[in-house]
Amino acid sequence: MDLSVIWDEFIEYLRAEPDIHDASAKRIAGIPFLYVDTVLDKSDVEYLIKKWSARAMRGKRLHSDTIFFRAQSSIFVYRHRFYVPQEKMFCCGNLCVDCVRLKQ
């Protein structure tokens, strides 16, 4: 799965918010960082990140993780990532105790 499409959609949703001046993502040492320039406070920014990441992931088997990193004047920096869950998605036939056939 190409996560760049999810990232592009997510960034566009954030940029469309009226109180967010700019939003961008940068990869530093392999870790994705999200930069949000806004007049909102931290809790409102985190709500918008959660809202729009859920919208960008809709219909796909993805999860997101957001960790506050730092704030500098009106710019908030978060470690934000989209990832595929680490769980079995098919039966391997080995009679595992966590087999997907046994899930309800």
Side-chain angles (χ1 to χ4, degrees):
M1 175 180 285
D2 186 18
L3 294 179
S4 64
V5 175
I6 305 296
W7 269 103
D8 293 341
E9 191 174 337
F10 171 61
I11 295 296
E12 288 305 312
Y13 287 142
L14 281 178
R15 286 181 179 161
E17 280 291 324
D19 291 327
I20 293 181
H21 303 303
D22 190 29
S24 62
K26 295 180 186 173
R27 223 175 231 296
I28 300 171
I31 300 171
F33 287 94
L34 176 65
Y35 292 81
V36 180
D37 185 7
T38 183
V39 295
L40 299 172
D41 63 347
K42 183 180 171 217
S43 62
D44 292 337
V45 172
E46 289 174 358
Y47 169 75
L48 290 175
I49 290 172
K50 187 175 184 179
K51 174 184 170 183
W52 292 121
S53 64
R55 175 74 170 112
M57 295 183 302
R58 185 175 291 167
K60 297 164 186 71
R61 290 197 54 152
L62 292 174
H63 294 292
S64 67
D65 185 29
T66 306
I67 300 170
F68 177 74
F69 192 69
R70 65 181 164 91
Q72 192 176 37
S73 64
S74 66
I75 299 176
F76 292 96
V77 181
Y78 292 90
R79 280 183 34 206
H80 183 80
R81 67 184 185 118
F82 294 103
Y83 62 96
V84 179
Q86 296 291 324
E87 60 186 28
K88 291 176 65 171
M89 300 175 80
F90 61 91
C91 176
C92 62
N94 290 334
L95 302 173
C96 303
V97 295
D98 62 343
C99 184
V100 295
R101 295 181 302 128
L102 301 176
K103 289 186 181 178
Q104 295 177 348

